Amino acid sequence: MKEIKQFNQKTIYNHWKTDNYKKYAELVINSIFDMLKKRFYKGDKTINEIEKNTEQYPILASTFKEWILKYTASKHRPEKYKNKILFDLKNENDYKRAAIDFISGMTDSFAIKIFNEIIKF
């Protein structure tokens, strides 16, 4: 099994033909993260800022808002999520971790759909 893993790593994952795919994946992920960090984060007013961007970025803003309300302490938070607080929007590092968790839960096709929305493709 170890030999198969090494072979796959060498001949498939680190093959020069995958370089463009890796660069594209990195561009997609970084673009989404930068959008969430630079455009949406406003400390304890983050939820309001996300709502302001719903028209311009409908898929990203609506899904991120729904997701972040589940895991943050916020006055906008529905009562049904009261026991799942993981992140504090007042703390920028917590917000960044929340954004990373949100992105890591995306499928490839959804991340590309969000990326296309960001660049208006």
Side-chain angles (χ1 to χ4, degrees), residues 80-117:
K80 65 182 178 180
Y81 299 127
K82 69 178 183 176
N83 295 323
K84 296 182 180 180
I85 297 173
L86 299 177
F87 306 105
D88 181 3
L89 291 180
K90 294 176 186 173
N91 182 320
E92 188 173 0
N93 287 330
D94 267 10
Y95 176 80
K96 288 177 185 177
R97 283 195 302 268
I100 291 167
D101 284 356
F102 174 69
I103 294 167
S104 69
M106 291 180 178
T107 62
D108 294 349
S109 60
F110 185 72
I112 291 168
K113 188 175 186 177
I114 296 294
F115 176 69
N116 289 337
E117 180 179 79

Side-chain angles (χ1 to χ4, degrees), residues 4 11 18-20 23 33 43 52 57 59-60 67 71 76 81 87 91 95-97 99 109-110:
I4 292 172
T11 59
T18 63
D19 288 346
N20 287 336
K23 289 176 186 173
F33 181 76
K52 286 181 192 176
Y57 307 104
I59 301 168
L60 176 59
W67 186 89
Y71 302 108
H76 302 283
Y81 299 127
F87 306 105
N91 182 320
Y95 176 80
K96 288 177 185 177
R97 283 195 302 268
S109 60
F110 185 72

Side-chain angles (χ1 to χ4, degrees), residues 32 35-36 40 57-64 102 114 117-118:
I32 296 170
M35 176 63 69
L36 293 174
F40 291 176
Y57 307 104
I59 301 168
L60 176 59
S62 63
T63 56
F64 186 58
F102 174 69
I114 296 294
E117 180 179 79
I118 290 170

Side-chain angles (χ1 to χ4, degrees), residues 38-69:
K38 293 176 183 172
R39 173 79 96 174
F40 291 176
Y41 183 70
K42 301 292 183 213
D44 59 351
K45 295 181 176 34
T46 297
I47 301 298
N48 293 335
E49 195 62 32
I50 294 169
E51 289 172 348
K52 286 181 192 176
N53 285 282
T54 302
E55 189 174 317
Q56 189 172 8
Y57 307 104
I59 301 168
L60 176 59
S62 63
T63 56
F64 186 58
K65 178 186 171 193
E66 181 182 323
W67 186 89
I68 205 157
L69 283 175

